[in-house]
Amino acid sequence: KLRTVRIPEGVVKIGARAFQNCVSLSSVALPNSLLEIRGLAFEGCTALETLVVPVSVKEIGTSAFKGVPNVIRQSSAVRVETPKTQEEIPAKKVTDAPEVQKSAAKQVWDSEIFYYVDDSGVLHITGSGLMPNFDTCEYACYSPWMHRTEYDWSKVIVHEGVESLGEYAFWRCDALTEIVLPESLTYIGKHCFEGCKNLRTFRWPALVSEIKSSTFKDCEALETVELPDGIQQLWRWSFQNCGNLKSIN
């Protein structure tokens, strides 16, 4: 029975379901070279009392730590207690939400990210740390706000403390016309805004250095994108089928 794992320096990715249901696993050491942990990687590792995630990790897949009692993310030096359910969260977790909204906030999988829709129909995303990826190809897991049909929300506010937007986070959110992003954001996953056909303008966050594959694919109404000086790489299909795009500054 597997009890101890030490992953060597140089490893950059832990694949989906890599240690799923290793119920005897009690100790894992992750390298500082690690960039990505895919979905369900440590799901069901109930004997793993504490897992330290290096600051280098920028992508965390859906339910990567489901069932792990405690997760410590070095980026925020905050101990994260994995909840037993995905039901409504304690009010103290949502520090920037109006009092009337706190009880309605929902947790995004096993992350420290939460969301709620206010009385005017604006979608708020709050919390701290990294948002999970929503890999529709691998798990058919959509973002939890995608099918909130009771609101035809067109505006999203992502609050300070959120460090990433996961893959497919706003995939095919047709009504989205405006999104406000925080300075704390350091990563935006691939396909994040793909198919947002009514999104017209976008200001790229200063600390996000790459535009991943298909980030704005099929954004038919997109006209202007403002980029900071720190952009280092544009991946394939970043702006594919953006037929109305007039300016990238």
Side-chain angles (χ1 to χ4, degrees), residues 130-199:
L130 305 177
M131 179 186 291
N133 292 323
F134 308 101
D135 193 337
T136 59
C137 297
E138 189 171 358
Y139 300 115
C141 292
Y142 301 99
S143 61
W145 47 80
M146 183 174 179
H147 297 298
R148 292 184 66 89
T149 55
E150 68 270 31
Y151 295 101
D152 185 20
W153 50 266
S154 60
K155 181 177 181 179
V156 175
I157 299 176
V158 183
H159 292 262
E160 286 294 332
V162 177
E163 296 176 14
S164 74
L165 300 180
E167 296 175 4
Y168 295 90
F170 300 100
W171 181 68
R172 296 186 181 178
C173 291
D174 293 347
L176 180 61
T177 61
E178 180 183 1
I179 184 164
V180 179
L181 300 177
E183 294 181 359
S184 57
L185 208 63
T186 61
Y187 183 86
I188 295 178
K190 64 183 181 180
H191 302 273
C192 188
F193 301 102
E194 179 181 344
C196 294
K197 61 183 182 181
N198 288 302
L199 185 64

Side-chain angles (χ1 to χ4, degrees), residues 10-124:
V11 174
V12 298
K13 177 179 177 179
I14 296 177
R17 305 175 189 267
F19 300 98
Q20 186 181 35
N21 294 328
C22 290
V23 295
S24 298
L25 185 61
S26 59
S27 176
V28 173
L30 301 179
N32 292 323
S33 59
L34 194 64
L35 300 176
E36 181 179 3
I37 300 174
R38 298 298 290 171
L40 301 171
F42 294 96
E43 189 266 339
C45 296
T46 54
L48 186 58
E49 294 185 358
T50 300
L51 179 64
V52 178
V53 180
V55 68
S56 59
V57 174
K58 297 300 182 184
E59 296 186 62
I60 296 177
T62 302
S63 297
F65 310 119
K66 185 177 181 180
V68 179
N70 298 303
V71 178
I72 298 175
R73 293 179 181 151
Q74 291 182 339
S75 57
S76 57
V78 173
R79 176 180 172 181
V80 179
E81 294 184 357
T82 305
K84 295 181 180 180
T85 70
Q86 301 297 324
E87 300 301 322
E88 295 182 356
I89 60 166
K92 65 180 180 180
K93 293 282 189 176
V94 189
T95 56
D96 57 355
E99 283 292 333
V100 70
Q101 303 294 342
K102 288 181 178 178
S103 63
K106 302 285 186 178
Q107 186 168 27
V108 180
W109 301 101
D110 53 357
S111 70
E112 281 291 284
I113 304 299
F114 310 96
Y115 72 98
Y116 64 96
V117 179
D118 68 21
D119 293 336
S120 62
V122 176
L123 174 65
H124 295 259

